[in-house]
Structures are given as structure tokens and as C-alpha cells.
Amino acid sequence: MQTEKLLRGIENCSCGKSHSCPIEEVRIGEGTLQALPELCRNYHHIVLVSDDNTWRVCGEQTAAILGSKVQTSLVLHADGVVIPDEKAIETVRSAASEKTDLYIGVGSGVINDLCKYVSFGLGLPYYIVATAPSMDGYASVGCALILQGMKVTLNARPPKAIIAEQSVLQNAPMEMLQAGYGDIIGKFSCLNDWKLSVLLTGEYFCQRVYDIVYETAQQVQALAQGVAVRDGKAVSALMEALVTVGIAMSYVGNSRPASGSEHHLSHYFEITGILEKKPYFSHGIDVAYSSVITATLRQRILSSRPEKRPFDRDAYEREIRRIYGSSAQGIIELQDRVGGYSREIPAEEKFDEIRAILSEVPTPAQFEQMLGAVGLDMAQCWAMYGEKKVADGILYAKDLKDRYTVLNLYYEFFREV
């Protein structure tokens, strides 16, 4: 597997840094659950964390394989999805005792993030037993949480081991397979945002990491037919791709190689869905649809040469408070803290270079074709969210994060207020 090589790191990279990843084991394929006793030979007081669904899928089997090594089996209950908020964090934290020496999460995004965050805070290692190839955060340093009503990504530490049983991955809900595929296809968008930010803000860039993620996205694009029919090898390859991207994030110490404008829109749909108590798609599917939306923005910028609009602070705050309600003040304070609206961005004078970068991304039609190959249809996005919600997200999803993307560029030139 490519991941075996990547786990060894890169010394003296051309970007001026050395890259490393603290993950010790990645096991993807058939029979990997049976490796758990060997992988856990030095641990004797394990907290096993799952939710209602993942306990049935794989948690109970994992507990049986580990036997008396499991000190506590914590099953998180929720109506719908578990939200990684303060309450869930405390529940996972309180399951540990003075004897606890390892956390094992059984699940995907939320379970992984909760175990990553809590184990890091307690100074304990953790493993993740993946139940679906649904997102790229398994191997990353970041954990996505919802704190005080805001979507935040905090740095922690990757798991010491990632275990993914092929039969479990194959039988995950098709929505989760689509989500993992969509999360990787979104890399074409976020990598372009990275280049854009390098040009306009001088952000750090690593060509080697960029190439790893870009090539992984191309490989996953070729897996679409196999993923759509649950082919075992294709699903395992998708899982490896998701881990590869996570390692790339670990290399640079943040999510920049894997998260840009398409992720900001995804977070926006999730946060506003929670605030408004309205449905939203899973993260990776939102990323997939958002990649089409951001590609449309790039096309509009490419077809014009607009003038930068003056910033109206009062109008900006009104819109943020309208959209984000109780979470608005924290969002405004974040942008003030990072200088989101006070820094000078030389967009107009570098417009030719901007056009060259934006032209590297697949077109909206090409993105839609990639998504259609696994059964995703943009009509579902418009039906779920509607034009007004998408329009608000285009202008104000960027404010959830401190990262420059095409959303910032579009806002500077095309906003109406």
C-alpha cells in the first residue's frame, strides 16, 4: 500500500521542511479485525467507543475479539446522528479511569473526532476501527467539533493504528461510500484554493504534498464504477486514498491540503442545518456538491475582470447575524482576530495569475459528471437547500474559517452588499 511508504515520512523536503506522521499501523483489507489482539498486546484497560449503528456493525465484534482487555464499552445514543459537541466530549472523557491506557473508536467521522480529541487531552493513545470509507479525517491531526454552536477544527494527534475490515467497508450505506468518494473529488477544488492563497497571501506551500493529494484524487476518480457497485478492491482503495490524504494533512500540520472552499460550504450547510433544525447531507456529499458550486464561481471570475468592492462593515455584520444567529458573534470575532477584512489582498494587480490558477480546475460540468458516476445528482442539492441558502453560503461560508479561498475572492468582487 502507498500508505506504508508515506508513514515513513519525507526527510528534507524541497519545501524546506521534513514531514512525518505518528501513525504506526494501517491495516486495510480482509481479516484485519483479527489483528487487533496483536496490535493491542501492550494495552489492558481499553475504552471502546461506538454509537448505536457502529456497535451493531462492528463494535460488538471488536469487543468480543479483545475480550477482557476492554475496560468499558461506551455506546453513544442519539436521535439521528451523534453531534460532537461539549456533551458528547464529556461523555467520552468520563468513560476513562486512572487505569485506562487506550481508546479505540469504532465508527467514522464523529466517533473518530471525539476519540481523537479526548485521548489527546488525556495524554492517551487511540486506535480507530473504521466502519465506512466516508471521510479523510481518519489519519489527520485535526478533529472537527461543534463547540458553542460553531464548527471548529482543532489540532490533536492522529491514531496510532487504523484498522479497516474490507467486508465492513463494502457493506456501509451507499451514502457513506458516495461521501468518501465526494470528499476526495473535492480535493481538485481545495488544492486550487491552496495555490490561490499562496499567490495572494504568501501562505506556505509544499509541492510534494500537493502532488500526493492531486494524484490520489485522480486515482479515486478512476474508482467510481467500482465504488458504485461496492467492489471490494475499489472500496478498499477508496479507504486507502482517504488515509493517504489524512497523512498529507499530518505532514503539513493542518487540513490545508484537503480542505478549501468546498469544505467551508459543507460546514456552512451543517452549522445552519443544526441551528435551524433542518436536514443536511453528510459531510462528504456536501463537499461533492459544493465542489460544483465553487467551480461555477471560478468560471464566473474567469469570464470577467470585475473591480473590487468597498467593504461595508455594518452590512457585513447584519448578514452574518441574520445567517448564523446565536453563533454570529463568535464568527465575527474570528474574522477580526485573523484580520479577514483588514488585510490587503493584491487581487486586482495579479488578476492574470489568478486566471491561470483558476483555469486548472475541472469545470462544473466535469465535476457533475464525476459525481454522477457514483449516483450523486446536483438536483438533490438544490432540492435540499434552495437557491437562497446556497447564495448565502457562497458569500458567508468563508467566515467560518480563517483560510483564504475562492469564496473570499468572489466576495471581494461580486457581492451586492
Side-chain angles (χ1 to χ4, degrees):
M1 292 194 299
Q2 180 184 7
T3 51
E4 293 178 359
K5 179 180 179 181
L6 293 176
L7 291 180
R8 295 195 290 270
I10 301 172
E11 291 290 334
N12 301 316
C13 181
S14 59
C15 73
K17 296 184 178 183
S18 291
H19 304 299
S20 62
C21 178
I23 299 171
E24 296 178 359
E25 295 280 351
V26 175
R27 306 283 183 95
I28 301 171
E30 296 188 21
T32 56
L33 285 180
Q34 301 308 315
L36 277 168
E38 172 204 345
L39 295 174
C40 296
R41 60 187 178 278
N42 295 324
Y43 303 105
H44 306 283
H45 302 281
I46 299 170
V47 173
L48 189 71
V49 182
S50 62
D51 62 26
D52 292 315
N53 292 326
T54 62
W55 174 256
R56 291 191 297 270
V57 168
C58 197
E60 187 173 11
Q61 182 182 1
T62 299
I65 290 171
L66 291 172
S68 61
K69 285 179 176 286
V70 178
Q71 168 191 335
T72 303
S73 287
L74 173 64
V75 180
L76 299 174
H77 306 289
D79 295 328
V81 298
V82 175
I83 296 176
D85 57 10
E86 291 89 346
K87 182 180 178 181
I89 289 169
E90 184 53 37
T91 300
V92 174
R93 182 186 288 122
S94 63
S97 72
E98 293 181 358
K99 291 185 177 181
T100 301
D101 51 11
L102 178 70
Y103 268 86
I104 295 181
V106 181
S108 55
V110 170
I111 295 297
N112 182 58
D113 287 331
L114 287 170
C115 290
K116 184 184 298 184
Y117 180 74
V118 170
S119 64
F120 180 69
L122 295 175
L124 295 171
Y126 91 101
Y127 292 176
I128 184 69
V129 176
T131 55
S134 55
M135 54 91 212
D136 59 17
Y138 287 114
S140 73
V141 297
C143 41
L145 306 169
I146 296 177
L147 304 179
Q148 297 181 342
M150 283 186 63
K151 183 85 173 188
V152 298
T153 301
L154 303 178
N155 279 0
R157 179 181 53 217
K160 289 189 70 174
I162 299 171
I163 301 97
E165 178 72 42
Q166 180 171 296
S167 60
V168 173
L169 301 180
Q170 274 181 280
N171 290 307
M174 179 51 68
E175 177 184 339
M176 300 189 85
L177 303 186
Q178 292 170 326
Y181 174 86
D183 203 1
I184 294 293
I185 292 303
K187 305 316 172 202
F188 291 117
S189 169
C190 77
L191 289 172
N192 193 259
D193 285 331
W194 194 7
K195 277 190 173 182
L196 182 67
S197 181
V198 172
L199 173 68
L200 297 179
T201 74
E203 183 179 348
Y204 159 79
F205 180 76
C206 177
Q207 186 67 51
R208 184 78 175 273
V209 170
Y210 177 99
D211 291 342
I212 289 169
V213 177
Y214 192 87
E215 290 166 9
T216 299
Q218 289 181 311
Q219 292 163 5
V220 167
Q221 183 182 351
L223 294 174
Q225 184 176 356
V227 170
V229 298
R230 300 181 183 274
D231 175 77
K233 290 184 178 179
V235 172
S236 288
L238 173 60
M239 181 68 196
E240 184 179 358
L242 292 163
V243 172
T244 295
V245 172
I247 293 172
M249 288 188 269
S250 292
Y251 276 2
V252 301
N254 59 59
S255 62
R256 177 47 113 172
S259 174
S261 53
E262 72 301 321
H263 274 64
H264 297 180
L265 276 167
S266 173
H267 296 324
Y268 158 81
F269 290 131
E270 179 182 5
I271 288 295
T272 55
I274 292 171
L275 289 170
E276 298 166 2
K277 295 181 171 54
K278 292 182 178 179
Y280 53 91
F281 292 110
S282 64
H283 170 72
I285 290 179
D286 267 338
V287 166
Y289 291 143
S290 296
S291 296
V292 179
I293 295 169
T294 60
T296 302
L297 304 185
R298 293 185 182 96
Q299 289 291 301
R300 183 173 180 186
I301 295 170
L302 282 168
S303 65
S304 62
R305 198 179 187 103
E307 294 183 1
K308 189 173 181 179
R309 295 173 180 259
F311 178 60
D312 184 333
R313 172 73 185 219
D314 291 337
Y316 160 74
E317 286 201 19
R318 282 197 303 272
E319 292 301 291
I320 291 292
R321 296 187 191 282
R322 173 180 66 82
I323 294 166
Y324 292 110
S326 60
S327 298
Q329 188 58 38
I331 293 169
I332 292 169
E333 290 173 0
L334 168 65
Q335 292 305 317
D336 284 342
R337 189 165 61 250
V338 301
Y341 293 95
S342 60
R343 59 186 172 183
E344 288 296 321
I345 302 295
E348 288 178 296
E349 62 193 69
K350 295 191 175 183
F351 210 81
D352 289 340
E353 294 166 90
I354 289 171
R355 290 171 60 85
I357 290 173
L358 298 186
S359 63
E360 296 176 359
V361 186
T363 66
Q366 289 170 327
F367 269 116
E368 288 201 57
Q369 185 176 17
M370 286 186 265
L371 303 189
V374 296
L376 293 175
D377 184 347
M378 272 302 291
Q380 297 170 333
C381 176
W382 294 111
M384 175 75 82
Y385 299 131
E387 291 187 11
K388 176 58 176 171
K389 187 163 192 170
V390 172
D392 283 343
I394 286 170
L395 295 179
Y396 299 106
K398 66 186 180 346
D399 298 277
L400 292 168
K401 298 292 180 178
D402 61 354
R403 184 168 293 163
Y404 193 91
T405 73
V406 72
L407 295 178
N408 300 78
L409 183 67
Y410 187 86
Y411 181 84
E412 291 178 30
F413 291 104
F414 288 99
R415 70 179 183 275
E416 294 181 359
V417 295

